[in-house]
């Protein structure tokens, strides 16, 4: 009341006092007293000081609260990252540096019956893991880098002294090498079966990458010769690391029993060491592919496509997975016709990408220009509109083989040497199909790469690739279907009967000549028979039938002088012809130029094409064309041949002359004999190891030629053995000017077939490209 009275006295006028009394009157009218029985006591009492139940001597500070929140966020991020990794199908768990290292006294972590051990086991194990490995005892699955050192990498990833780092695999090799040398007598007797040669090979393998002379190679892929061999090295590894080693192999055609290698020295008292597990997954298996398929089905379309590209497979369920005791991937064989073409296309794409990444479009144009300047050859497709995969739209098998024939000549001095060697080995494998294995083990992430791994095992188990290739059926399809279809009029009603009639008459013709005598076949070809029928002597092969065509300048005889005015490079041909006639007549005796025999009337008939018809060792008739044409389809074409005395020459012109032939020296009468000759340029072979692997030829110079004619000479057409394909070495262009008809110091022998074995593979029946 005193406060109300003092406030009333402080008011300045009567209006303010009237308003105060009115406000108090309204409060008094609205006031209602509360019944004390309806009051309730408070449930919580906030007191001053530290709350009860909190450990410690003080409250956490603001910094400690912020640190705690940051740890909670970091933990949440790790859990989210782990969840994303599981969704992407990567179940390989890597050891962390902060992970607990198992020791001899941690018995709870070493035995599967302990609950604490079962808590660390993986919830999902890849399906390709060997069935005899207990699933509840697997703590982690580590996939090491497959570069040839994978055996030692797998040991280093499980070894405590290497800090579980696979990149420290050299330390494992060093311990194994010292152990092998210290116990030489034991390993020689029991591991190498008393073979001194096997023991030396074992030491050589362990020294590779450790010795000083090979230490610089440890960063590169390990050759197949020095791979980890569990049969001999697993026991040494168990002794060196003082730990049992279990070896499992999955994915091979033959069954491999899991093997446990125990160290020769006993473990410390009371110790129960955990064994190291080496699991080799070779190629592809049913379990491995089925596991990849199940994992990929859990992704969306984009992620599944990337996952399939990473593991080189299409996400399609295979019906053969459900067949018991059968692995479809071991039953199928490789097919060079439909697989190596895809691999080669990917190699070309890699080359094109490397050149384009260099941001030098001039190199792309340079390689394309080189491909257009390659000399023409039989069955070789020209590449004038483009050379790289981006320019080739759906190339055929024949086009790819033509591409293989010239790619080394175009890029051998542009690409890195290692890539050139890889490309060279692949082309050799595709052409010859004799390689025992592929040494490259680098992982590639595009379809069909897994088949490259299978070549090694199929060749070892089934033999040469050409024996189980679809090339044979494709060739049969061409002869029995495509060739027969071309002989029809494509009428719907008579198409099949016309094909059947063609095949019937063709087979009758082949059967007739198959059982006919060799004399009958040659008589039908219009040539002389030179076979001898004496059983004591071997039969002599008939001489080939030679036909000259495409006259040069004119079909009538022309003088040497007139020919030299048309082509200045033919000026020395007259003297060279006289030298050849003198060599033939006087048996290489040197005579004066005026006394040398000369062509009749100093005239000749010049030609640009030579046709050779012959029979190979299989009885197949083939035709071969050798050209010396300055304008063959608007291109200069002077073919190379190999002579019977193993010389490499370039044909410049074919011609015939008439010379007088006397039976006696003083005989006034003489006969005219026609000589079939050719003007050639002789190239010298160089003993030089070229990056492309080709034989190197040197262009003859004025100084090297004793006659000062740049290696020109005249020889008989009968001296020609077989055709060759020689391309210029673009890296040796004179004045660094690369032109189609330019000058080059060196040339490369791109193809040189041996006539006795490959006539039918590169002539009119088949061809090398």
């Amino acid at each position: 009341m005193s406060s109300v009275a003092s406030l009333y006295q402080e008011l300045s006028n009567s209006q303010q006092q009237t308003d105060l009394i009115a406000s108090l009157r309204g409060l008094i009218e609205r006031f209602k007293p509360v019944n004390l029985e309806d009051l309730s006591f408070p449930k919580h009492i906030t007191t001053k000081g530290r709350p009860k139940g909190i450990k410690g001597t003080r409250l956490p500070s603001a910094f400690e609260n912020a640190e705690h929140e940051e740890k909670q966020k970091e933990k949440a991020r790790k859990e989210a990252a782990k969840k994303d990794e599981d969704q992407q199908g990567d179940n390989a768990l890597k050891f962390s540096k902060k992970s607990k290292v198992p020791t001899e006294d941690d018995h709870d972590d070493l035995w599967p019956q302990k609950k604490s051990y079962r808590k660390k086991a993986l919830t999902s194990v890849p399906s390709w893991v060997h069935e005899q490995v207990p699933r509840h005892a697997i703590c982690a699955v580590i996939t090491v880098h497959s570069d040839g050192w994978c055996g030692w990498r797998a040991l280093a990833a499980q070894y405590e002294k290497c800090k579980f780092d696979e990149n420290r695999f050299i330390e494992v090799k060093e311990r194994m090498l010292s152990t092998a040398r210290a116990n030489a007598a034991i390993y020689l007797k029991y591991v190498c079966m008393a073979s001194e040669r096997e023991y030396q090979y074992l030491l050589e393998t362990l020294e590779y990458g450790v010795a000083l002379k090979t230490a610089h190679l440890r960063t590169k892929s390990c050759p197949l010769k020095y791979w980890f061999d569990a049969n001999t090295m697993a026991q040494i590894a168990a002794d060196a690391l003082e730990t049992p080693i279990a070896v499992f192999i999955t994915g091979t055609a033959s069954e491999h029993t899991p093997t446990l290698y125990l160290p020769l020295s006993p473990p410390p008292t009371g110790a129960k060491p955990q064994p190291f597990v080496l699991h080799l997954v070779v190629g592809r298996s049913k379990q491995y592919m089925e596991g990849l398929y199940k994992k990929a089905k859990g992704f969306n379309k984009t992620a599944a496509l990337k996952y399939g590209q990473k593991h080189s497979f299409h996400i399609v369920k295979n019906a053969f997975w459900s067949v018991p005791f059968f692995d479809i991937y071991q039953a199928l064989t490789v097919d060079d016709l439909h697989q190596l073409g895809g691999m080669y296309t990917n190699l070309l794409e890699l080359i094109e990408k490397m050149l384009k990444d260099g941001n030098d479009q001039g190199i792309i144009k340079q390689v394309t220009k080189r491909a257009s300047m390659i000399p023409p050859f039989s069955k070789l497709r020209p590449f004038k509109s483009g050379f790289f995969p981006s320019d080739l739209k759906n190339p055929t098998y024949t086009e790819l083989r033509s591409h293989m024939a010239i790619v080394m000549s175009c890029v051998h001095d542009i690409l890195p040497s290692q890539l050139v060697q890889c490309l060279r080995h692949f082309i050799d494998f595709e052409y010859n199909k004799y390689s025992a294995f592929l040494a490259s083990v680098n992982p590639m992430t595009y379809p069909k790469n897994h088949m490259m791994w299978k070549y090694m095992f199929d060749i070892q188990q089934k033999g040469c690739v050409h024996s189980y290739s679809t090339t044979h059926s494709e060739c049969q399809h061409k002869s029995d279907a495509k060739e027969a279809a071309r002989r029809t009029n494509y009428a719907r009603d008579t198409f099949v009967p016309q094909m059947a009639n063609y095949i019937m008459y063709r087979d009758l013709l082949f059967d007739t000549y198959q059982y006919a005598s060799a004399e009958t076949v040659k008589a039908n070809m219009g040539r002389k028979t030179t076979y001898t029928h004496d059983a004591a002597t071997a039969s002599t092969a008939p001489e080939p039938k030679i036909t000259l065509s495409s006259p040069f300048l004119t079909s009538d005889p022309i003088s040497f002088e007139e020919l030299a005015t048309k082509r200045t490079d033919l000026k020395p041909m007259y003297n060279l012809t006289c030298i050849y006639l003198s060599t033939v007549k006087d048996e290489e005796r040197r005579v004066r130029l005026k006394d040398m025999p000369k062509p009749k009337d100093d005239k000749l008939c010049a030609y640009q094409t030579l046709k050779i018809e012959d029979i190979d060792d299989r009885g197949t008739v083939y035709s071969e064309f050798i050209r010396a044409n300055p304008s063959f389809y608007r291109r200069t074409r002077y073919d190379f041949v190999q002579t019977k005395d193993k010389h490499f020459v370039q044909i410049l012109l074919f011609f015939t002359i008439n010379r007088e032939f006397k039976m006696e020296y003083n005989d006034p009468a003489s006969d005219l004999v026609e000589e079939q000759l050719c003007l050639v340029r002789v190239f010298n072979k160089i003993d030089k190891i070229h990056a492309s692997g080709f034989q190197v030829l040197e262009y003859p110079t004025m100084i090297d030629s004793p006659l000062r004619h740049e290696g020109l000479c005249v020889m008989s057409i009968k001296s020609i053995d077989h055709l060759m394909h020689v391309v210029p070495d673009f890296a040796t262009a004179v004045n660094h000017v690369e032109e189609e008809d330019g000058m080059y110091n060196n040339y490369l022998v791109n193809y040189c077939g041996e006539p006795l074995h490959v006539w039918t593979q590169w002539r009119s029946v088949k061809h090398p490209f």
Side-chain angles (χ1 to χ4, degrees), residues 519 529 531-537 539:
E519 288 78 5
T529 303
Y531 273 75
T532 59
H533 300 281
D534 187 4
T537 60
S539 298

Side-chain angles (χ1 to χ4, degrees), residues 369-413:
K369 181 181 178 181
R370 287 182 176 183
S372 64
M373 294 190 300
I374 293 294
F377 194 69
S378 177
K379 307 296 182 181
L380 181 61
R381 178 193 182 279
F383 295 90
K384 289 187 174 295
S385 59
F387 185 70
F388 289 100
S390 59
D391 303 321
L392 303 177
K393 305 301 181 184
N394 298 323
T396 62
Y397 181 74
T398 304
E399 290 175 340
L400 286 179
R401 289 184 63 88
S402 297
H403 202 285
M404 290 183 188
I406 65 175
V407 64
M408 292 300 303
S409 305
C410 299
V411 301
H412 67 83
D413 60 324

Side-chain angles (χ1 to χ4, degrees), residues 256-540:
H256 291 267
T257 304
T259 308
L260 178 64
Y261 295 88
L262 300 176
L264 299 180
S265 58
T269 305
K272 298 179 180 180
Q274 180 183 6
F276 291 172
V277 178
L278 301 181
H279 189 189
L280 175 63
V281 181
V282 181
R284 295 194 164 193
S285 62
K286 178 172 63 176
Q287 296 81 6
Y288 176 73
M289 296 304 301
E290 191 173 3
L292 293 179
Y293 171 77
K294 292 180 180 179
K295 189 63 64 177
K297 293 297 290 184
F299 304 153
N300 56 37
K301 185 176 181 180
T302 304
L305 183 62
K306 293 183 179 180
Y307 187 75
Q309 185 179 12
K310 177 182 178 182
H311 295 278
S312 182
F313 82 105
H314 297 284
I315 307 172
V316 179
K317 186 176 182 180
N318 197 320
F320 290 97
W321 290 344
S322 59
V323 179
F325 308 106
F326 177 72
D327 193 339
I328 183 62
Y329 302 100
Q330 298 300 327
L332 294 178
T333 58
V334 295
D335 181 20
D336 61 310
L337 178 62
H338 296 92
Q339 292 164 356
L340 295 183
M343 290 295 302
Y344 180 68
T345 304
N346 283 283
L347 281 177
L348 292 181
E349 292 175 354
L350 172 64
I351 293 174
E352 183 179 11
K353 184 177 183 300
M354 289 181 61
L355 296 180
K356 288 184 177 180
D357 289 345
N359 297 325
D360 190 356
Q361 294 298 327
I363 295 181
I364 300 292
K365 296 180 180 179
Q366 181 183 8
V367 175
T368 305
K369 181 181 178 181
R370 287 182 176 183
S372 64
M373 294 190 300
I374 293 294
F377 194 69
S378 177
K379 307 296 182 181
L380 181 61
R381 178 193 182 279
F383 295 90
K384 289 187 174 295
S385 59
F387 185 70
F388 289 100
S390 59
D391 303 321
L392 303 177
K393 305 301 181 184
N394 298 323
T396 62
Y397 181 74
T398 304
E399 290 175 340
L400 286 179
R401 289 184 63 88
S402 297
H403 202 285
M404 290 183 188
I406 65 175
V407 64
M408 292 300 303
S409 305
C410 299
V411 301
H412 67 83
D413 60 324
I414 297 178
L415 299 177
S417 59
Q418 187 175 7
L419 182 56
V420 172
Q421 293 297 324
C422 176
L423 186 61
R424 175 66 185 176
H425 285 298
F426 180 84
I427 295 176
D428 286 342
F429 182 82
E430 161 63 17
Y431 264 106
N432 302 317
K433 302 179 180 62
Y434 61 79
S435 301
F437 54 87
L438 294 177
S440 177
V441 295
N442 294 328
M444 294 176 283
T445 58
Y446 45 80
K448 294 186 180 179
N449 110 68
H450 60 277
M451 299 306 297
M452 301 299 291
W453 289 80
K454 203 170 186 300
Y455 272 91
M456 177 177 65
F457 302 101
D458 279 0
I459 291 174
Q460 292 175 348
Q461 297 172 6
K462 304 178 180 69
C464 180
V465 177
H466 196 61
S467 302
Y468 41 88
S469 172
T470 57
T471 307
H472 308 289
S473 59
E474 290 286 343
C475 294
Q476 192 70 21
H477 170 70
K478 292 179 181 179
S479 60
D480 289 348
K482 292 185 177 181
E483 292 181 3
R486 296 191 193 102
R487 301 301 181 107
T488 66
N489 58 4
Y490 295 96
R492 179 177 300 178
D493 298 334
T494 61
F495 180 73
V496 176
Q498 289 180 26
M499 292 180 59
N501 288 334
Y502 167 76
I503 296 174
M504 179 183 66
Y505 287 119
R506 184 198 64 185
D507 293 345
L508 288 175
L509 179 63
F510 286 171
D511 292 342
T512 301
Y513 277 91
Q514 180 179 2
Y515 298 103
S517 60
E519 288 78 5
T520 304
V521 176
K522 296 180 188 61
N524 292 332
M525 290 183 60
R527 68 183 63 182
K528 296 181 180 180
T529 303
T530 58
Y531 273 75
T532 59
H533 300 281
D534 187 4
T537 60
S539 298
T540 305

